[in-house]
Amino acid sequence: MERLGVVFFFVASWLLAGVVVAHHDHGVHKNYLILVRRPYEYDRRVYKDVSSWHASLLASVCDQAKEELEADPANAPRLIYSYRNVVNGFSARLTTDELGKMAQADWFVKAVPEKTYQLMTTHTPRMLGLTGPTIFHSGVWNRSNMGEGIIIGVLDGGITPGHPSFDGTGMPPPPAKWKGRCDFNSSACNNKLIGARSFFESARWNWKGGDDPVLPIDESEHGTHTSSTAAGAFVPGANAMGSGVGTAAGMAPRAHLAFYQVCFVGKGCDRDDILAAIDDAMEDGVDLLSISIGDDNAGDFAADPIALGGYSAIMRGIFVCTAAGNSGPDVATVANEAPWLLTVGAATTDRRAVADVKLGNGLEIRGESYYQPSTYVSKLRPLARDTAADGTCSDKSVLTSEQVSGKIVLCYTGGNLTNLQKGSILHDAGAAAVIIVSQDWAGSVISPKAHALPAAQIEYKSAEKIQAYMNSSKNPTARLVFRGTVLGNRVSPIAAPFSSRGPSKQNPGILKPDITGPGVNIIAAVPKPEGLAQPPNELAYKFDIMSGTSMAAPHISGIAALIKKAHPTWSPAAIKSAMMTTTDIRDRRRMPILDYDGHHANMFALGAGFINPTRAMNPGLVYNLSAHDYIPYLCRLGYSDHEMNSIIHPAPPMLCAQQPVVEQKDLNYPSITVVLDEEPYAVNVSRAVTNVGNGKAVYTASTDEVPPTLSVTVTPSRLRFSALNEVQTFTVTISSKNVRLKKRITEGQLKWVSGKHVVRSPIVVSSKKFFQNQKNTTSTDQHTAG
């Protein structure tokens, strides 16, 4: 099943459960992540490495593993991965009896069953202001040297070696710190694509020697697309199906790419593989991780590979950018909720491939299509529709030549066929063109795909006008009007309907998603466009459009690389803060950004707002956090000492009883989320900001965008800085004038304003009942797109 921006893999039930039958052994085995109690560590005098120690632990409770280890100490098939950085533990295959025996060992903390996760451009650099008006203007690219020398690690489903987006011509060699490897041959590995590895654990288990035999080839489009969006090279003439022609480039076109394949067709994205890839990426020397993978039911942070690996990464100063997920517009569906991760939602760009429908009565209906063949003659033709009840054109027996030949056919998205398959059936029956109606949940956001016929895709509500016309006319007619690619749509960005929404289930006191980026109809590199039978030019074979938070995340990853290049000493939290406090909350009309349904988008859809890279390069103030600052916050969430030590590995062991109390609201986060539920219906929030702008500066607090139902007081109301990197603290007192907020949420803004900067933090206020209601809400709709 295909969802917007996400390839959902059909996985056999036995593989989903991680069930295998081991060689030379009896009984059913399952994959587990085994957490080892700290301060247990391996003795370097006894074991040559961590893997040898973990193999001995496994052998101590598993007779089969002991026999295998004694027969060949270098090969332990039951031991899948031995983790060095991301967690104190290993993943292994065990029977139920063996797991019970292991649970009695003094070094054992717990075993977490295997879990499978899912995978959640030519114009966006200019739209986001990276290029500047001219080559002489100090655009973000000029100020950051396009990310040169920064290494972006991408975890995804494969990459296409030799694609022009990964051409290394003119690229400098990677920095000396790079210790990774590229498993492709020398013609595919270059100074752009410096790393490429596959983490297919089943292959590793059966493999008996040498390097991993599985090459990270992209069997879908996802990994190539996300990688080129983050750091693709310049490719003039790139286009999707002949539309959107321009020079393709990633956000950081001179950054290096290191690719880690952790997702596979027919297998999905296994937790053990994700942890192993992050483990190696940290040692390889990456500066950032871009991860368009997730699960909106991932569970707590102590069992989530992206949260676990992400924490270990930020301990080393590695920025981690993740996708929010594609389970919107339902609330409380956001994935990748850990506060040390940057969580990215998706919104539209200002580009449209206009393909309007003009009815015989003169009414014009807005539509889009990237497939606009130059041979199509725009003239009035008979208008037909599927006579089946659902109108989806999924029944081939109904779509006969007598019914559709020479006509334009109206078809609704849905049924048991993709829109591409429907077009093929209509083409074979002699239809002239097709009008595709988007699903009602998509609202105003249209995501065109490849078609077998000239096509226009329209909003669901627009179909009502076509239906009314057809009902009122004996001989309805229509024509498609292809207007090419149009830039500068003023009603943009718009929050994408599929983009997962907050509040966070794991930590409702932290606003998630954090930020929004371009994620709808993004043109980027692919191995080969799906369904494009007759490409209009050679490069149309190498680029395609995709939509999803998977596309939004690498935009932000690439921009983070630019900021890191310009500010190499900034922490991951400082980079996050710079982006979150400088976002846009208004569209190109200077009106509040809209949601897909035409209403104002709230912060659970947008996070802090839509990325503005120009302002993020010079934010003035940042809300900084070290990796250690998250420890008391996690203790307050209720994690045990053993779980805490699993999360913060490889930091020294700690006890929550020795940590200060830090409520969720008081984590030094760039956004503010509070609950007003008890008298006196007021709460104090503590924050600290670091001066990264001018040496001397004065900032004044502004709360003029706070709604009248709230009272917000900032103490002190003015911050005076005399030096760079100086830290000042303040308290925000938030109270409700209406006593109880009940089930509602209320939003506002806190701004610190100087002569040169506006540092904005979103404020979300609600009740415990609201958050509990959202936490108990589950998303059951599986939105699909043809």
Side-chain angles (χ1 to χ4, degrees):
M1 175 176 63
E2 182 181 315
R3 290 182 64 175
L4 287 166
V6 184
V7 177
F8 279 86
F9 301 123
F10 291 101
V11 184
S13 60
W14 63 269
L15 199 52
L16 272 173
V19 178
V20 295
V21 178
H23 295 300
H24 314 300
D25 198 7
H26 300 287
V28 176
H29 297 177
K30 293 184 179 181
N31 293 1
Y32 293 93
L33 170 63
I34 307 300
L35 300 181
V36 177
R37 189 181 305 275
R38 303 182 69 191
Y40 279 88
E41 301 287 353
Y42 82 97
D43 188 337
R44 290 176 172 80
R45 297 169 299 177
V46 179
Y47 304 102
K48 67 176 183 179
D49 53 28
V50 178
S51 180
S52 300
W53 176 56
H54 286 158
S56 72
L57 294 180
L58 181 60
S60 69
V61 297
C62 174
D63 292 337
Q64 179 67 24
K66 182 178 181 179
E67 293 174 7
E68 293 167 346
L69 186 63
E70 290 174 349
D72 184 0
N75 180 41
R78 290 287 208 95
L79 181 66
I80 303 171
Y81 289 113
S82 179
Y83 302 113
R84 303 175 300 282
N85 304 297
V86 295
V87 68
N88 192 38
F90 56 92
S91 57
R93 292 179 171 81
L94 297 168
T95 65
T96 303
D97 290 343
E98 291 165 346
L99 185 62
K101 185 178 179 181
M102 181 177 287
Q104 304 303 313
D106 56 358
W107 52 262
F108 177 87
V109 174
K110 68 176 179 179
V112 184
E114 176 65 292
K115 186 176 179 64
T116 300
Y117 291 70
Q118 302 293 349
L119 287 165
M120 305 277 206
T121 155
T122 59
H123 174 60
T124 44
R126 177 166 295 183
M127 171 199 171
L128 294 172
L130 301 183
T131 60
T134 71
I135 60 174
F136 303 107
H137 187 276
S138 59
V140 176
W141 272 354
N142 284 353
R143 293 161 62 189
S144 63
N145 201 18
M146 304 185 191
E148 183 173 303
I150 300 297
I151 303 172
I152 301 177
V154 178
L155 274 66
D156 214 290
I159 195 166
T160 306
H163 193 287
S165 288
F166 309 129
D167 185 2
T169 302
M171 285 283 297
K177 68 173 183 174
W178 172 246
K179 300 296 188 293
R181 72 173 198 252
C182 184
D183 286 345
F184 293 125
N185 60 37
S186 58
S187 64
C189 302
N190 52 45
N191 288 335
K192 165 60 71 176
L193 184 60
I194 61 172
R197 295 181 57 190
S198 179
F199 289 79
F200 193 90
E201 57 93 356
S202 295
R204 289 170 59 95
W205 181 40
N206 291 312
W207 181 242
K208 299 301 181 183
D211 292 335
D212 196 331
V214 179
L215 294 177
I217 298 292
D218 194 351
E219 297 178 356
S220 59
E221 297 183 355
H222 202 275
T224 299
H225 200 282
T226 57
S227 299
S228 65
T229 300
F234 290 98
V235 184
N239 64 95
M241 295 171 269
S243 296
V245 179
T247 297
M251 298 300 100
R254 289 188 66 79
H256 306 285
L257 273 170
F259 190 87
Y260 302 86
Q261 185 185 35
V262 296
C263 303
F264 305 87
V265 173
K267 183 175 183 288
C269 317
D270 283 351
R271 179 203 58 220
D272 298 340
D273 298 338
I274 295 170
L275 277 171
I278 298 176
D279 206 48
D280 282 1
M282 291 169 58
E283 293 188 348
D284 289 346
V286 303
D287 296 295
L288 299 94
L289 286 171
S290 184
I291 307 176
S292 292
I293 304 167
D295 183 353
D296 58 14
N297 289 303
D300 62 48
F301 301 148
D304 179 0
I306 299 174
L308 285 170
Y311 188 90
S312 298
I314 66 160
M315 288 182 65
R316 295 197 180 189
I318 299 170
F319 184 88
V320 186
C321 182
T322 64
N326 293 350
S327 296
D330 294 338
V331 297
T333 54
V334 65
N336 296 315
E337 305 165 67
W340 48 87
L341 307 174
L342 183 73
T343 309
V344 184
T348 64
T349 72
D350 66 343
R351 178 179 60 202
R352 291 177 55 223
V354 180
D356 293 338
V357 179
K358 188 165 187 178
L359 302 178
N361 62 1
L363 180 66
E364 280 203 33
I365 293 174
R366 181 183 77 95
E368 296 186 42
S369 177
Y370 276 78
Y371 182 51
Q372 302 185 11
S374 59
T375 56
Y376 178 75
V377 178
S378 179
K379 66 178 182 180
L380 286 173
R381 290 180 168 86
L383 187 58
R385 56 189 166 190
D386 183 10
T387 58
D390 61 2
T392 61
C393 301
S394 294
D395 188 346
K396 186 175 182 179
S397 65
V398 176
L399 304 174
T400 63
S401 178
E402 292 75 13
Q403 183 187 0
V404 304
S405 182
K407 300 178 181 180
I408 299 176
V409 184
L410 179 71
C411 297
Y412 285 77
T413 297
N416 57 2
L417 298 176
T418 67
N419 289 331
L420 179 62
Q421 291 169 326
K422 297 170 189 178
S424 296
I425 292 173
L426 291 171
H427 177 273
D428 294 343
V434 63
I435 301 170
I436 297 293
V437 182
S438 298
Q439 293 182 309
D440 56 351
W441 60 266
S444 63
V445 177
I446 299 173
S447 295
K449 299 297 287 182
H451 293 287
L453 281 172
Q457 292 185 222
I458 63 171
E459 297 178 32
Y460 184 86
K461 65 180 182 180
S462 297
E464 297 175 359
K465 300 176 183 178
I466 298 178
Q467 294 281 18
Y469 164 64
M470 295 181 75
N471 292 336
S472 67
S473 175
K474 291 183 179 180
N475 299 297
T477 58
R479 67 187 179 101
L480 303 188
V481 182
F482 294 144
R483 305 189 189 278
T485 304
V486 178
L487 305 178
N489 179 15
R490 289 175 58 77
V491 189
S492 66
I494 295 173
F498 55 79
S499 188
S500 290
R501 312 299 166 105
S504 167
K505 298 184 291 294
Q506 298 299 318
N507 43 192
I510 302 295
L511 178 62
K512 289 286 180 173
D514 292 305
I515 198 169
T516 304
V520 178
N521 301 337
I522 303 303
I523 299 178
V526 295
K528 183 180 179 181
E530 181 183 3
L532 187 61
Q534 297 179 333
N537 56 69
E538 183 178 352
L539 282 176
Y541 260 133
K542 299 182 181 296
F543 292 87
D544 200 3
I545 56 170
M546 296 184 73
S547 297
T549 57
S550 286
M551 284 66 251
H555 276 92
I556 308 303
S557 300
I559 292 166
L562 301 178
I563 297 173
K564 188 171 183 66
K565 175 66 177 182
H567 304 283
T569 62
W570 281 11
S571 69
I575 295 173
K576 174 195 283 190
S577 176
M579 291 191 283
M580 289 179 62
T581 59
T582 57
T583 56
D584 292 325
I585 58 173
R586 296 183 178 273
D587 61 21
R588 289 172 173 265
R589 304 169 302 166
R590 307 307 303 159
M591 301 290 288
I593 293 174
L594 298 178
D595 212 337
Y596 71 101
D597 58 4
H599 296 105
H600 291 171
N602 64 27
M603 293 176 183
F604 289 142
L606 292 176
F610 191 82
I611 183 71
N612 185 316
T614 301
R615 289 203 296 260
M617 293 290 287
N618 185 19
L621 304 175
V622 295
Y623 294 83
N624 210 353
L625 282 164
S626 69
H628 186 273
D629 291 330
Y630 295 103
I631 292 176
Y633 151 82
L634 287 168
C635 287
R636 188 60 176 164
L637 284 183
Y639 287 99
S640 69
D641 289 341
H642 294 317
E643 289 173 324
M644 282 296 304
N645 287 313
S646 296
I647 294 172
I648 69 171
H649 180 79
M654 50 68 61
L655 297 173
C656 280
Q658 299 174 351
Q659 298 296 318
V661 175
V662 175
E663 303 287 349
Q664 295 181 53
K665 65 181 178 62
D666 292 320
L667 186 67
N668 199 40
Y669 216 68
S671 59
I672 298 172
T673 304
V674 300
V675 174
L676 292 182
D677 229 24
E678 299 175 353
E679 293 184 0
Y681 304 107
V683 65
N684 291 327
V685 177
S686 300
R687 288 291 187 272
V689 285
T690 302
N691 179 26
V692 295
N694 301 324
K696 294 183 178 181
V698 177
Y699 286 83
T700 303
S702 169
T703 58
D704 56 356
E705 293 190 33
V706 172
T709 54
L710 290 180
S711 172
V712 178
T713 304
V714 184
T715 306
S717 60
R718 183 167 294 176
L719 300 177
R720 298 180 182 274
F721 294 91
S722 58
L724 191 65
N725 295 321
E726 182 181 351
V727 178
Q728 296 270 9
T729 61
F730 61 92
T731 300
V732 182
T733 302
I734 303 172
S735 60
S736 171
K737 296 181 180 179
N738 289 349
V739 184
R740 281 185 178 272
L741 294 174
K742 296 182 180 179
K743 296 182 181 180
R744 295 178 55 247
I745 62 168
T746 304
E747 300 180 347
Q749 311 283 342
L750 165 64
K751 299 177 183 176
W752 286 107
V753 183
S754 73
K756 294 184 178 181
H757 301 99
V758 176
V759 185
R760 185 178 55 82
S761 290
I763 300 173
V764 179
V765 183
S766 189
S767 66
K768 288 182 180 178
K769 178 172 285 189
F770 171 82
F771 284 114
Q772 288 168 351
N773 288 343
Q774 307 314 312
K775 190 170 183 178
N776 293 331
T777 300
T778 57
S779 175
T780 56
D781 293 335
Q782 297 296 310
H783 303 318
T784 61

